[in-house]
Amino acid sequence: MTVLVTPKALADHKARDFKMLIDGKWEAGASQPIERIAPSHGIVVSRFPTGTKEDTVRAIAAARKAFDRGPWPRMTASERSAILLKAADLIAARSEELAYLDAIEAGKPISQVRGEIAGSVDIWRYAAALARDLHGESYNTLGDGTLGVVLREAIGVVSIITPWNFPFLIVGQKLPFALAAGCTTIVKPSELTSGSTLVLGEILQEAGVPDGVVNIVTGTGPEVGAIMTSHPQVDMVSFTGSTGVGKLTMTNAAQTLKKVSLELGGKNPQIVFPDADLDAFIDAAVFGAYFNAGECCNAGSRLILHKSIASDVVKRVAELAKDVKVGDPLDPSTQVGAIITPQHLEKINGYLAGAKESGAKVAHGGQALDFGMGQFMAPTILEAVTPNMAVAREEVFGPVLSVLTFETTAEAIEIANSIDYGLSAGVWSRNFDTCLTIGRKVRAGTVWMNTFMDGASELPFGGYKQSGLGRELGRHAVEDYTETKTLNMHIGARTNWWMPQKDKLA
């Protein structure tokens, strides 16, 4: 039976009232605030302003003014880098406050969020270093009469829209790189988990980011996000969220042909061969499936097992899943926290019901957990899953692991590539040829070999197919927020093509 950590009452918690940031000023908003109910405890823990279309337009105007006439794009790279480094230090100093907010608003285990905040600090420092490495090109090879120079310039005003599952980490994968390039921004966090992003606004002001460079508007997608993605004064959109909303974002941005970066859904396979180190894999399978309660685009939600080991692997994964601690996000021993909303828990249960109707079998879990408050889901394993089932093709976004089987390498690759997503994948084998074959033929932005869900600021992240467009992180991350401009310079006298030379008229 799953070890349960009973949620404790938030007796000492007082709901925090936040304000949004527009042009350097903190505003409460004119309408009724959004109340965030903790998914683990069922009480109001935060209140956010309900941003309007008018608020969003004002924020865009502030970002436009800050880009066109303000100091930020005109600073030296070293000056911007110094401010980003100071922001990283301030994030580290307020890390416990940030972790607490993400834990209570998103239902994430506090120990996990502490790691995410530390990872964010590293990303901000990495972006600060890249700010000073941004450069163009020169071409002195075009003949005596021509010198070519290619400049990199900040793209302009960037709309950044982030999801609820990694509130602080994902804004850190976008915002510092946009700032490093010299861009100005409007940020919309999820209306469910806005607290840590609003604290980030305070941090950036203290670090020395000028007014209007970072504007944070809280509210819903139809009211705020739609304007951010369609407004003609916005030059680029960076969005992380569901594939469905990503498609809508792209449609909105197409009205003015904005640059779009999308990090969307995933249905990520782990392909396991008989010669794999199964002890290492079993741990990675449980971690990959249940990390962040499976509410993770990178979740290893599909196990594609060789038939000869499938039965044994499922038993071993189920045994380890029994020891996963589900419960109070504020307990440092908790490994799986709460499901984000009751509606999302209902969606997960709908996928399970459909899978069972289609012939899948529950090998472990399969039910919601009743703690008397909040909403929780038992880590679940489904076996006898076939590639055509919805639970094998669609993003459940919960702690649900689907098990499929294969006999040949070609069959494993076909199953892995048979869906619309291509965010990440894993392969487990002691044979490097096998790993490299899978790595080259599986269509995914990241392929882990004998590990899963490792990452670093230096490594690009993004997906193939309907998992998104573009890449975040990595040494080119700042370049994504720039345009290139060619300066073609002529040296010496120029010969006119259409006007006859005077000496030939004599």
Side-chain angles (χ1 to χ4, degrees):
M1 184 174 181
T2 303
V3 177
L4 305 179
V5 183
T6 304
K8 301 166 185 160
L10 283 169
D12 297 329
H13 181 85
K14 181 180 179 182
R16 184 167 173 178
D17 293 298
F18 288 92
K19 295 180 179 181
M20 57 188 172
L21 179 62
I22 300 176
D23 202 12
K25 299 179 179 62
W26 292 94
E27 303 183 10
S31 54
Q32 189 74 16
I34 297 168
E35 291 191 333
R36 179 55 181 151
I37 297 174
S40 55
H41 295 79
I43 65 170
V44 175
V45 289
S46 302
R47 297 185 186 91
F48 313 124
T50 303
T52 64
K53 294 178 181 178
E54 292 74 18
D55 294 326
T56 311
V57 170
R58 287 192 298 111
I60 292 170
R64 185 80 262 167
K65 180 182 69 175
F67 184 79
D68 292 342
R69 303 195 295 275
W72 186 255
R74 293 154 190 87
M75 288 182 179
T76 65
S78 63
E79 288 172 329
R80 285 198 296 269
S81 178
I83 291 173
L84 295 179
L85 287 171
K86 185 174 181 180
D89 292 342
L90 293 170
I91 291 168
R94 296 180 69 171
S95 60
E96 195 61 22
E97 175 189 2
L98 294 164
Y100 176 77
L101 286 170
D102 277 5
I104 60 173
E105 290 176 10
K108 299 161 68 73
I110 188 73
S111 296
Q112 174 191 318
V113 190
R114 287 168 177 155
E116 292 170 15
I117 304 300
S120 295
V121 171
D122 183 70
I123 295 172
W124 279 83
R125 289 176 177 155
Y126 183 62
L130 289 182
R132 302 187 68 167
D133 188 54
L134 188 65
H135 60 275
E137 305 163 357
S138 64
Y139 292 87
N140 194 34
T141 56
L142 307 175
D144 290 342
T146 302
L147 175 64
V149 175
V150 179
L151 305 180
R152 281 202 172 272
E153 298 182 341
I155 196 169
V157 176
V158 181
S159 287
I160 294 175
I161 301 176
T162 58
W164 48 259
N165 57 335
F166 293 92
F168 198 80
L169 181 63
I170 290 179
V171 75
Q173 293 178 183
K174 301 174 184 293
L175 181 57
F177 299 101
L179 296 177
C183 295
T184 60
T185 61
I186 314 97
V187 181
K188 190 194 97 61
S190 168
E191 64 271 24
L192 300 176
T193 55
S194 300
S196 61
T197 301
L198 292 167
V199 170
L200 177 61
E202 298 174 3
I203 288 171
L204 294 177
Q205 283 188 318
E206 184 178 350
V209 175
D211 292 351
V213 173
V214 176
N215 304 275
I216 304 171
V217 183
T218 52
T220 65
E223 193 73 12
V224 176
I227 302 297
M228 289 175 61
T229 56
S230 61
H231 197 283
Q233 293 298 311
V234 171
D235 300 295
M236 177 178 173
V237 178
S238 181
F239 169 85
T240 295
S242 70
T243 295
V245 179
K247 291 177 180 179
L248 180 60
T249 297
M250 199 169 182
T251 299
N252 287 345
Q255 298 175 39
T256 49
L257 294 180
K258 304 182 194 309
K259 184 175 182 180
V260 176
S261 175
L262 302 173
E263 197 274 286
L264 307 176
K267 190 68 178 178
N268 312 293
Q270 294 209 60
I271 303 171
V272 189
F273 288 85
D275 66 337
D277 179 347
L278 292 183
D279 290 338
F281 165 71
I282 298 303
D283 180 77
V286 173
F287 170 70
Y290 306 133
F291 173 74
N292 209 58
E295 296 170 330
C296 177
C297 58
N298 245 353
S301 56
R302 286 191 297 162
L303 294 192
I304 303 178
L305 308 176
H306 192 275
K307 281 187 177 180
S308 65
I309 60 171
S311 179
D312 178 57
V313 167
V314 170
K315 289 178 182 177
R316 293 182 63 182
V317 172
E319 282 298 313
L320 188 56
K322 291 177 183 178
D323 294 329
V324 172
K325 293 184 177 181
V326 183
D328 182 8
L330 298 180
D331 188 320
S333 68
T334 295
Q335 294 167 302
V336 174
I339 301 301
I340 189 71
T341 62
Q343 295 79 11
H344 191 61
L345 179 60
E346 185 177 345
K347 176 185 172 184
I348 296 169
N349 283 325
Y351 272 108
L352 292 177
K356 289 185 283 188
E357 289 174 6
S358 299
K361 308 296 182 185
V362 177
H364 179 73
Q367 73 282 336
L369 301 173
D370 185 4
F371 289 171
M373 61 179 74
Q375 55 272 344
F376 298 83
M377 183 76 196
T380 296
I381 303 169
L382 294 174
E383 56 183 341
V385 175
T386 57
N388 62 319
M389 291 182 184
V391 77
R393 305 187 67 83
E394 300 175 14
E395 193 174 34
V396 176
F397 228 59
V400 178
L401 185 58
S402 297
V403 179
L404 302 93
T405 60
F406 70 95
E407 294 188 69
T408 67
T409 300
E411 184 184 5
I413 293 169
E414 181 181 1
I415 294 171
N417 288 337
S418 65
I419 64 171
D420 293 332
Y421 296 112
L423 188 56
S424 63
V427 54
W428 294 80
S429 171
R430 288 187 171 92
N431 187 320
F432 188 74
D433 286 353
T434 300
C435 289
L436 193 55
T437 297
I438 297 295
R440 295 181 71 176
K441 293 189 176 182
V442 170
R443 292 181 56 77
T446 298
V447 180
W448 286 286
M449 299 179 182
N450 296 314
T451 187
F452 198 77
M453 223 184 287
D454 288 343
S457 300
E458 294 84 351
L459 299 177
F461 176 66
Y464 283 36
K465 300 189 283 188
Q466 294 190 36
S467 286
L469 296 172
R471 295 292 181 270
E472 296 181 338
L473 304 179
R475 66 188 182 93
H476 298 296
V478 174
E479 293 179 5
D480 289 342
Y481 294 94
T482 66
E483 293 272 26
T484 56
K485 177 185 288 183
T486 297
L487 302 183
N488 191 326
M489 295 176 278
H490 186 75
I491 302 168
R494 181 177 182 276
T495 301
N496 291 319
W497 169 75
W498 59 273
M499 182 179 293
Q501 298 299 305
K502 290 181 179 180
D503 59 344
K504 291 184 179 180
L505 295 176

